[in-house]
Amino acid sequence: MTDLDTITAFNELIETSLDTERNFRAASEEAYHADLKQLLRDCASDSAHAAAELQAAVKSLGGRPEEIGTTGSTVRRGWMHLKALALGRDEVAILDECERFEHDAEMRYEHALGVEMPEPMHALVQRQYEDLRRHQQDLRGMRQRYTLH
């Protein structure tokens, strides 16, 4: 275990969190139902907070934290917007995209949980992973609530 391994894992999670935040914000702009819009904004806020926590942790280890997301995320947001234009605020498509990028984030968090790191850092990743899983449950609940499945 080295601090470099932890910094690398955290920087990947920072990119993921920043991407997820932007994706949720974009989805909230496309959603129609007020409670879905609010859920997506809340998820975006939680993702921004996660990125900030991870950035602080990287700094505490003497590393340089990532500050931007990935290009793929920009493409994904553009695709979501185009689908919304073509399909007319289809919340099924919005939820599909949200669940897709949450699944991608889940995979990255599971990878990071497998990286050997100091216990406080591991606890941070574990807590954020659990928050991510809660978001997934909330999204599934929203799908069921509106019988969007």
Side-chain angles (χ1 to χ4, degrees):
M1 164 186 64
T2 68
D3 285 349
L4 182 57
D5 294 334
T6 304
I7 290 168
T8 300
F10 276 29
N11 274 330
E12 289 176 7
L13 294 179
I14 291 167
E15 283 182 343
T16 299
S17 295
L18 292 172
D19 287 350
T20 302
E21 177 211 357
R22 291 179 185 117
N23 289 337
F24 275 127
R25 288 210 192 285
S28 74
E29 292 171 10
E30 303 299 340
Y32 176 74
H33 290 98
D35 50 352
L36 177 57
K37 287 173 113 27
Q38 187 60 52
L39 171 63
L40 297 172
R41 284 192 295 262
D42 291 346
C43 290
S45 178
D46 289 349
S47 296
H49 181 72
E53 285 183 316
L54 293 163
Q55 288 167 330
V58 168
K59 286 178 185 177
S60 77
L61 293 171
R64 183 171 177 224
E66 289 293 329
E67 296 179 4
I68 59 173
T70 63
T71 305
S73 177
T74 303
V75 171
R76 182 176 277 170
R77 285 190 302 278
W79 177 245
M80 185 173 16
H81 180 68
L82 287 174
K83 283 171 66 174
L85 287 174
L87 300 174
R89 288 194 168 175
D90 181 352
E91 291 186 335
V92 170
I94 292 168
L95 285 167
D96 286 346
E97 286 301 312
C98 290
E99 289 172 352
R100 197 173 350 269
F101 56 75
E102 279 289 273
H103 177 72
D104 292 346
E106 178 182 25
M107 302 300 279
R108 287 195 176 203
Y109 270 88
E110 288 173 353
H111 172 75
L113 286 169
V115 173
E116 190 176 332
M117 63 183 70
E119 180 53 37
M121 301 298 179
H122 188 271
L124 172 63
V125 175
Q126 183 66 45
R127 182 178 48 76
Q128 289 186 358
Y129 176 73
E130 291 167 7
D131 289 344
L132 178 107
R133 299 285 297 175
R134 183 179 43 81
H135 289 166
Q136 291 171 334
Q137 290 173 349
D138 292 344
L139 291 169
R140 282 191 293 273
M142 191 63 66
R143 178 186 294 274
Q144 291 172 353
R145 180 173 179 189
Y146 290 112
T147 62
L148 296 174
H149 193 358

